[in-house]
Amino acid sequence: MANNHTHKAEKNISAAFFLNLFFAFFELAGGFITNSVAILSDAVHDFGDSLSLGVAWYLQKVSEKKGDNRFSYGYKRFSLLGSLFISIVLVVGSIFIILESISRISNPEDPNGLGMIIMAIAGVVINGLAVIKLKRGKSYNEKAVLLHMMEDVLGWIAVFVGGIVIHFWNISILDPLLSLMIGLWVLFNVYRNLSSTIAIMLQEVPRDINLKELEKDLRKISAVDSFHDLHIWSLDGQKHILSIHIVLGDNSTMSDFNRAREDVRSIALKHGIAHVTVEVELVGQVTECRYFKDPC
């Protein structure tokens, strides 16, 4: 199932890359035809987007590689690098949009309203196809790319609305005002995605895991006298990992050992943790961190 998710993520990001690259060339031609500096500037911006999407696609593809002598856990965290890279690109791009919008509010320009409407329709359709491909993505890399494409869709919706108003009523200041709102919205969402990505890279306990409830369930295992060195982290935001030392009574049998390990794995699976490492000790072997059914 995990391999299906990563392969689908790669296909989704590659589709977004080719759609964005195609539209960048389309924008470049449209900018020359309509003699619009704004559209030409956005074409350059989209070429930069295509570069970041290409990097994200490559890193997602790398993340599908299995463990080897260099990365024993595999390459899944490379998808987080893709998320980190594209988030940084989004932050820089959004700050540029915000600064440019503020500048144009002070000194509004007169863009070609009809040209904006035509280009906006094409922009919404092409970038909207990429959003549809990515909206069910589960990896943080896909979420970052989705934000990237959503930025473009919202930007073109704003251009469409602004183009209509500018074409019929010549209210030029509407264009930078809409761009400012979109830039702030993107920055807010990038912050949320980026903070989650960094938390995973720093091995924070996954936010969908209730650690207290997990500990409570572990304490219910009758054969376990105590446990310690309980650690939970996530490999890529989807695959969670748990390691734990459980302590059994000195008179425990091999059957008790096996049953206790299976009970820990069952509890972990119930909490959404598939990869579990359990080390079993006897009471007489524990010299540190011994608390009755309580982790340390």
Side-chain angles (χ1 to χ4, degrees):
M1 184 66 70
N3 286 336
N4 288 337
H5 283 320
T6 52
H7 182 65
K8 189 174 181 179
E10 183 200 336
K11 287 180 65 177
N12 290 342
I13 294 172
S14 67
F17 166 73
F18 284 115
L19 284 168
N20 203 82
L21 185 62
F22 165 77
F23 189 67
F25 282 108
F26 178 76
E27 260 189 312
L28 190 64
F32 282 114
I33 292 170
T34 61
N35 196 29
S36 170
V37 177
I39 293 175
L40 286 172
S41 298
D42 199 68
V44 174
H45 167 73
D46 272 349
F47 277 117
D49 286 354
S50 298
L51 174 62
S52 62
L53 287 168
V55 171
W57 176 24
Y58 169 74
L59 290 173
Q60 186 68 42
K61 189 175 181 65
V62 170
S63 74
E64 294 182 24
K65 293 173 64 177
K66 294 182 179 180
D68 55 23
N69 292 334
R70 188 177 180 189
F71 296 101
S72 60
Y73 263 116
Y75 289 72
K76 286 189 176 295
R77 285 203 163 194
F78 277 73
S79 70
L80 294 177
L81 288 179
S83 174
L84 191 63
F85 177 83
I86 202 167
S87 294
I88 291 170
V89 170
L90 274 170
V91 168
V92 174
S94 297
I95 291 173
F96 173 79
I97 289 170
I98 290 169
L99 293 175
E100 182 67 18
S101 299
I102 293 171
S103 174
R104 291 197 178 190
I105 288 171
S106 303
N107 300 289
E109 299 179 6
D110 293 322
N112 184 328
L114 184 59
M116 289 172 64
I117 293 169
I118 296 170
M119 291 299 297
I121 292 171
V124 169
V125 171
I126 294 172
N127 288 288
L129 288 173
V131 168
I132 291 170
K133 291 285 290 182
L134 291 162
K135 68 178 181 178
R136 293 185 180 179
K138 295 184 177 181
S139 76
Y140 278 86
N141 200 6
E142 284 176 286
K143 290 176 182 177
V145 174
L146 176 60
L147 279 174
H148 209 105
M149 303 313 297
M150 278 297 295
E151 176 198 22
D152 287 342
V153 170
L154 287 171
W156 284 113
I157 290 174
V159 169
F160 179 75
V161 174
I164 291 174
V165 174
I166 290 165
H167 181 67
F168 290 102
W169 293 282
N170 198 30
I171 306 175
S172 301
I173 199 171
L174 182 63
D175 181 46
L177 285 174
L178 289 170
S179 297
L180 180 61
M181 291 172 60
I182 293 165
L184 291 172
W185 179 87
V186 171
L187 270 184
F188 172 73
N189 283 281
V190 168
Y191 166 76
R192 292 173 58 188
N193 191 70
L194 193 56
S195 63
S196 297
T197 300
I198 292 172
I200 293 169
M201 297 182 80
L202 294 176
Q203 296 187 325
E204 177 187 70
V205 174
R207 295 174 187 179
D208 58 340
I209 300 293
N210 188 323
L211 186 57
K212 289 185 178 179
E213 287 296 320
L214 176 63
E215 292 173 355
K216 184 179 177 181
D217 288 343
L218 290 171
R219 293 188 188 101
K220 293 177 183 177
I221 302 175
S222 58
V224 176
D225 177 77
S226 63
F227 60 89
H228 60 94
D229 288 330
L230 171 62
H231 302 293
I232 306 168
W233 68 98
S234 185
L235 197 59
D236 60 353
Q238 299 176 78
K239 185 177 181 181
H240 302 331
I241 299 169
L242 177 148
S243 66
I244 187 173
H245 289 227
I246 59 174
V247 182
L248 307 186
D250 288 331
N251 296 322
S252 299
T253 64
M254 184 59 68
S255 177
D256 294 328
F257 276 52
N258 293 332
R259 187 167 62 253
R261 275 198 297 258
E262 287 307 310
D263 286 344
V264 171
R265 290 193 174 96
S266 296
I267 289 169
L269 193 60
K270 169 188 164 185
H271 287 267
I273 305 168
H275 188 96
V276 180
T277 301
V278 183
E279 184 168 333
V280 183
E281 303 168 349
L282 297 177
V283 171
Q285 296 174 328
V286 181
T287 57
E288 297 179 353
C289 290
R290 186 185 173 196
Y291 299 95
F292 178 71
K293 294 195 175 183
D294 198 25
C296 65

